[in-house]
Coordinates of all heavy atoms in Angstrom, one line a residue:
F808 N -25.2 73.8 59.7 CA -24.2 74.5 60.5 C -24.6 76.0 60.5 O -24.9 76.6 59.5 CB -22.8 74.4 59.8 CG -22.4 73.0 59.7 CD1 -22.4 72.4 58.4 CD2 -21.9 72.3 60.8 CE1 -21.9 71.1 58.3 CE2 -21.5 71.0 60.6 CZ -21.5 70.4 59.4
D809 N -24.5 76.6 61.7 CA -24.7 78.0 61.8 C -23.4 78.8 62.0 O -22.3 78.2 62.0 CB -25.7 78.4 62.9 CG -25.2 78.0 64.3 OD1 -24.0 77.8 64.5 OD2 -26.1 77.9 65.2
D810 N -23.5 80.1 62.2 CA -22.3 80.9 62.3 C -21.5 80.7 63.6 O -20.4 81.2 63.8 CB -22.6 82.4 62.0 CG -23.6 82.9 63.0 OD1 -24.3 82.2 63.7 OD2 -23.8 84.2 63.0
R811 N -22.1 80.0 64.5 CA -21.4 79.7 65.8 C -20.5 78.4 65.7 O -19.7 78.2 66.6 CB -22.4 79.6 66.9 CG -23.1 80.9 67.2 CD -24.2 80.6 68.2 NE -25.1 79.6 67.7 CZ -26.3 79.4 68.1 NH1 -26.8 80.1 69.0 NH2 -27.1 78.5 67.5
M812 N -20.7 77.7 64.6 CA -19.9 76.4 64.5 C -18.4 76.8 64.2 O -18.2 77.5 63.2 CB -20.5 75.6 63.4 CG -19.7 74.3 63.1 SD -19.7 73.1 64.4 CE -21.4 72.6 64.4
P813 N -17.5 76.3 65.0 CA -16.1 76.6 64.6 C -15.7 76.1 63.2 O -16.0 75.0 62.9 CB -15.3 75.8 65.8 CG -16.3 75.6 66.8 CD -17.6 75.5 66.1
P814 N -15.0 76.9 62.5 CA -14.6 76.6 61.1 C -13.8 75.3 61.0 O -14.0 74.6 60.0 CB -13.8 77.8 60.6 CG -14.2 78.9 61.5 CD -14.6 78.3 62.8
H815 N -13.0 75.0 62.0 CA -12.2 73.7 61.9 C -13.1 72.5 62.0 O -12.8 71.5 61.4 CB -11.1 73.7 62.9 CG -11.6 73.5 64.3 ND1 -12.0 74.6 65.1 CD2 -11.7 72.4 65.1 CE1 -12.4 74.1 66.3 NE2 -12.2 72.8 66.3
L816 N -14.3 72.6 62.7 CA -15.2 71.5 62.7 C -15.9 71.3 61.4 O -16.1 70.2 61.0 CB -16.1 71.6 63.9 CG -15.5 71.5 65.3 CD1 -16.6 71.7 66.3 CD2 -14.8 70.2 65.5
I817 N -16.3 72.4 60.8 CA -16.9 72.3 59.5 C -16.0 71.7 58.5 O -16.3 70.9 57.7 CB -17.4 73.7 59.0 CG1 -18.6 74.2 60.0 CG2 -17.9 73.7 57.6 CD1 -18.9 75.6 59.8
A818 N -14.7 72.1 58.5 CA -13.7 71.6 57.6 C -13.5 70.2 57.8 O -13.5 69.4 56.8 CB -12.4 72.4 57.8
A819 N -13.5 69.7 59.1 CA -13.3 68.3 59.3 C -14.5 67.5 58.8 O -14.3 66.4 58.3 CB -13.1 68.1 60.8
F820 N -15.6 68.0 59.1 CA -16.9 67.3 58.6 C -16.9 67.1 57.1 O -17.1 66.1 56.6 CB -18.1 68.1 59.0 CG -19.4 67.5 58.6 CD1 -20.0 66.4 59.2 CD2 -20.0 68.0 57.4 CE1 -21.2 65.9 58.7 CE2 -21.2 67.4 56.9 CZ -21.8 66.4 57.6
T821 N -16.6 68.2 56.4 CA -16.6 68.1 54.9 C -15.5 67.2 54.4 O -15.7 66.5 53.4 CB -16.5 69.5 54.3 OG1 -15.4 70.2 54.8 CG2 -17.8 70.3 54.6
R822 N -14.3 67.3 55.0 CA -13.2 66.3 54.6 C -13.7 64.9 54.8 O -13.5 64.1 53.9 CB -12.0 66.6 55.4 CG -11.0 67.6 54.8 CD -9.6 67.5 55.5 NE -9.7 67.7 56.9 CZ -9.7 68.8 57.6 NH1 -9.7 69.9 56.9 NH2 -9.8 68.8 58.9
A823 N -14.3 64.6 56.0 CA -14.7 63.2 56.2 C -15.8 62.8 55.3 O -15.8 61.7 54.8 CB -15.2 63.1 57.7
L824 N -16.7 63.7 54.9 CA -17.8 63.4 54.0 C -17.3 63.1 52.6 O -17.8 62.3 51.9 CB -18.7 64.6 54.0 CG -20.1 64.4 53.4 CD1 -20.9 63.3 54.1 CD2 -20.9 65.7 53.4
A825 N -16.2 63.7 52.2 CA -15.7 63.6 50.8 C -14.7 62.4 50.7 O -14.3 62.1 49.6 CB -15.0 64.9 50.4
L826 N -14.3 61.8 51.8 CA -13.4 60.6 51.7 C -14.0 59.5 50.8 O -15.2 59.3 50.8 CB -13.1 60.0 53.1 CG -12.2 60.9 54.0 CD1 -12.1 60.2 55.3 CD2 -10.8 61.1 53.4
D827 N -13.2 58.9 50.0 CA -13.6 57.8 49.1 C -13.3 56.5 49.7 O -13.5 55.4 49.0 CB -13.1 58.0 47.7 CG -11.6 57.9 47.6 OD1 -10.9 57.9 48.7 OD2 -11.1 57.9 46.5
E828 N -12.7 56.4 50.9 CA -12.4 55.1 51.4 C -13.6 54.4 52.0 O -14.6 55.1 52.4 CB -11.3 55.2 52.5 CG -11.6 56.0 53.7 CD -10.4 56.2 54.5 OE1 -9.4 56.6 54.0 OE2 -10.6 56.1 55.8
P829 N -13.7 53.1 52.0 CA -14.9 52.4 52.5 C -15.1 52.6 53.9 O -14.2 52.8 54.7 CB -14.6 50.9 52.2 CG -13.2 50.8 51.6 CD -12.6 52.2 51.5
V830 N -16.4 52.6 54.3 CA -16.8 52.7 55.7 C -17.4 51.3 56.2 O -18.2 50.8 55.5 CB -17.9 53.8 55.9 CG1 -18.3 53.9 57.3 CG2 -17.2 55.1 55.4
Q831 N -16.9 50.9 57.3 CA -17.5 49.6 57.9 C -18.9 49.8 58.4 O -19.1 50.7 59.2 CB -16.6 49.1 58.9 CG -16.8 47.7 59.4 CD -16.3 46.6 58.4 OE1 -15.5 46.9 57.5 NE2 -16.8 45.4 58.6
R832 N -19.9 49.1 57.9 CA -21.3 49.2 58.4 C -21.8 47.8 58.6 O -21.3 46.8 58.0 CB -22.1 49.9 57.3 CG -21.8 51.4 57.2 CD -22.8 52.0 56.3 NE -22.6 53.4 56.3 CZ -22.0 54.1 55.3 NH1 -21.6 53.5 54.3 NH2 -21.9 55.4 55.4
R833 N -22.8 47.7 59.4 CA -23.5 46.5 59.6 C -24.5 46.2 58.4 O -24.8 47.2 57.6 CB -24.4 46.5 60.9 CG -23.5 46.5 62.1 CD -24.3 46.5 63.3 NE -25.3 47.5 63.2 CZ -25.8 48.2 64.2 NH1 -25.5 47.9 65.4 NH2 -26.7 49.1 64.0
H834 N -24.9 45.0 58.2 CA -25.7 44.6 57.0 C -26.9 45.5 56.8 O -27.2 45.9 55.6 CB -26.1 43.2 57.1 CG -26.9 42.7 55.9 ND1 -26.3 42.5 54.7 CD2 -28.2 42.3 55.8 CE1 -27.2 42.1 53.8 NE2 -28.3 42.0 54.5
Y835 N -27.7 45.9 57.8 CA -28.9 46.7 57.6 C -28.8 48.2 57.8 O -29.8 48.8 57.9 CB -30.1 46.1 58.4 CG -30.4 44.7 58.0 CD1 -30.0 43.5 58.7 CD2 -31.1 44.5 56.8 CE1 -30.3 42.3 58.3 CE2 -31.4 43.2 56.3 CZ -31.0 42.1 57.1 OH -31.3 40.8 56.7
D836 N -27.6 48.7 57.9 CA -27.4 50.1 58.2 C -27.6 50.9 56.9 O -27.7 52.1 57.0 CB -26.0 50.3 58.7 CG -25.8 50.0 60.2 OD1 -26.9 49.7 60.8 OD2 -24.7 49.9 60.7
V837 N -27.5 50.3 55.8 CA -27.7 51.0 54.5 C -29.1 50.7 54.0 O -29.4 49.6 53.7 CB -26.6 50.6 53.5 CG1 -26.8 51.4 52.2 CG2 -25.2 50.9 54.1
P838 N -29.9 51.8 53.8 CA -31.3 51.6 53.4 C -31.5 51.0 52.0 O -32.5 50.4 51.6 CB -32.0 52.9 53.6 CG -30.9 53.9 53.5 CD -29.7 53.2 54.0
H839 N -30.5 51.3 51.1 CA -30.6 50.9 49.7 C -29.5 49.9 49.4 O -28.4 50.3 49.2 CB -30.5 52.1 48.8 CG -31.5 53.2 49.1 ND1 -32.9 53.0 48.9 CD2 -31.4 54.4 49.7 CE1 -33.5 54.1 49.4 NE2 -32.6 55.0 49.8
S840 N -29.8 48.6 49.3 CA -28.8 47.6 49.1 C -28.1 47.7 47.8 O -26.9 47.3 47.7 CB -29.4 46.2 49.3 OG -30.4 46.1 48.2
H841 N -28.7 48.4 46.8 CA -27.9 48.5 45.5 C -26.8 49.5 45.6 O -26.0 49.6 44.7 CB -28.9 49.0 44.4 CG -29.5 50.3 44.6 ND1 -30.6 50.6 45.5 CD2 -29.1 51.5 44.1 CE1 -30.9 51.9 45.4 NE2 -30.0 52.5 44.6
L842 N -26.7 50.3 46.7 CA -25.6 51.3 46.9 C -24.4 50.6 47.6 O -23.4 51.3 47.8 CB -26.1 52.4 47.8 CG -27.2 53.3 47.2 CD1 -27.6 54.3 48.2 CD2 -26.8 53.9 45.9
V843 N -24.5 49.3 48.0 CA -23.5 48.7 48.8 C -22.6 47.8 48.0 O -23.1 47.0 47.2 CB -24.2 47.9 49.9 CG1 -23.1 47.1 50.8 CG2 -25.0 48.7 50.8
T844 N -21.3 47.9 48.2 CA -20.4 47.0 47.6 C -19.8 46.2 48.7 O -19.3 46.7 49.7 CB -19.2 47.8 46.9 OG1 -19.7 48.7 45.9 CG2 -18.2 46.8 46.3
Q845 N -20.0 44.9 48.6 CA -19.5 44.0 49.6 C -18.0 43.7 49.5 O -17.5 43.4 48.4 CB -20.2 42.6 49.5 CG -21.7 42.7 49.8 CD -22.1 43.1 51.2 OE1 -21.4 42.7 52.1 NE2 -23.1 43.8 51.4
L846 N -17.3 43.9 50.6 CA -15.9 43.6 50.7 C -15.8 42.2 51.1 O -16.3 41.8 52.1 CB -15.2 44.5 51.6 CG -15.2 46.0 51.3 CD1 -14.5 46.8 52.4 CD2 -14.5 46.2 50.0
Q847 N -15.1 41.4 50.4 CA -14.9 40.0 50.7 C -13.9 39.8 51.9 O -14.2 39.0 52.8 CB -14.3 39.2 49.5 CG -15.3 39.1 48.3 CD -16.6 38.5 48.7 OE1 -16.7 37.6 49.5 NE2 -17.7 39.1 48.2
N848 N -12.8 40.5 51.9 CA -11.8 40.4 53.0 C -11.5 41.7 53.6 O -10.4 42.2 53.6 CB -10.6 39.7 52.4 CG -10.8 38.3 52.0 OD1 -11.6 37.5 52.6 ND2 -10.2 37.9 50.9

């Protein structure tokens, strides 16, 4: 991010990055399978 990036977009990005809720991904979207927790339902 440079100094032209609006502060509210930087704040939104960092908030989204820090969320601890699961993200829906396809099977091969994660390069390291040991980092993935499979949700059954």
Side-chain angles (χ1 to χ4, degrees):
F808 301 107
D809 62 18
D810 57 350
R811 295 174 300 203
M812 178 66 70
H815 69 278
L816 293 179
I817 296 172
F820 175 82
T821 54
R822 267 194 310 274
L824 192 60
L826 288 176
D827 62 352
E828 62 190 45
V830 177
Q831 189 78 16
R832 292 190 172 99
R833 293 181 310 210
H834 183 68
Y835 295 105
D836 283 348
V837 179
H839 306 290
S840 61
H841 66 278
L842 298 176
V843 178
T844 302
Q845 296 293 327
L846 297 176
Q847 297 301 322
N848 295 321

